[in-house]
């Protein structure tokens, strides 16, 4: 939740988001056979209204400490640069 807090979301909204993301469970069903329920500790429910917003907040500062160039589009991220030697490679 530290990314949300640094983006200025505090108080009741922060508490609401925390409650929404905590305590979620899921299970699989294949050909009528159901697995046991498991806690979901990562990610946001697909198809949720908040999913895209939370994802953008999560990746917003992805490039803040990078030396290399980066391209972001939807959920695809590409890190790139010119490599002339092993030092350049190590930077990327």
């Amino acid at each position: 939740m530290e990314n949300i807090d640094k983006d200025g979301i505090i108080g009741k909204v922060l508490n609401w988001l925390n409650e929404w993301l905590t305590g979620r469970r899921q299970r699989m069903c294949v050909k009528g056979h159901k697995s046991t329920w498991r806690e979901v500790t990562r990610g946001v429910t697909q198809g949720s209204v908040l999913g895209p917003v939370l994802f953008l907040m999560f990746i917003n500062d992805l490039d803040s400490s990078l030396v290399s160039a980066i391209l972001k589009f939807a959920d695809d991220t590409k890190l790139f640069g010119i490599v002339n030697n092993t030092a350049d490679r190590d930077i990327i």
Side-chain angles (χ1 to χ4, degrees):
M1 297 298 292
E2 66 273 356
N3 281 3
I4 292 173
D5 188 35
K6 77 166 181 52
D7 286 325
I9 298 176
I10 58 173
K12 289 182 180 181
V13 175
L14 180 61
N15 291 338
W16 178 75
L17 286 171
N18 190 38
E19 288 293 322
W20 186 70
L21 292 169
T22 304
R24 295 174 297 138
R25 298 179 344 137
Q26 69 181 19
R27 69 177 175 177
M28 291 181 52
C29 182
V30 178
K31 295 184 180 182
H33 299 281
K34 297 175 183 175
S35 69
T36 57
W37 286 96
R38 298 287 204 128
E39 184 179 2
V40 178
T41 59
R42 305 238 188 319
V44 177
T45 306
Q46 285 185 327
S48 68
V49 174
L50 290 176
V53 174
L54 293 175
F55 178 75
L56 289 175
M57 290 171 66
F58 179 72
I59 68 163
N60 190 41
D61 63 350
L62 188 63
D63 55 348
S64 65
S65 62
L66 295 176
V67 177
S68 303
I70 189 171
L71 288 174
K72 294 184 276 189
F73 179 76
D75 65 346
D76 186 33
T77 303
K78 294 179 182 175
L79 181 68
F80 64 96
I82 297 172
V83 176
N84 293 314
N85 52 49
T86 56
D88 292 342
R89 181 202 62 201
D90 293 342
I91 288 172
I92 292 178

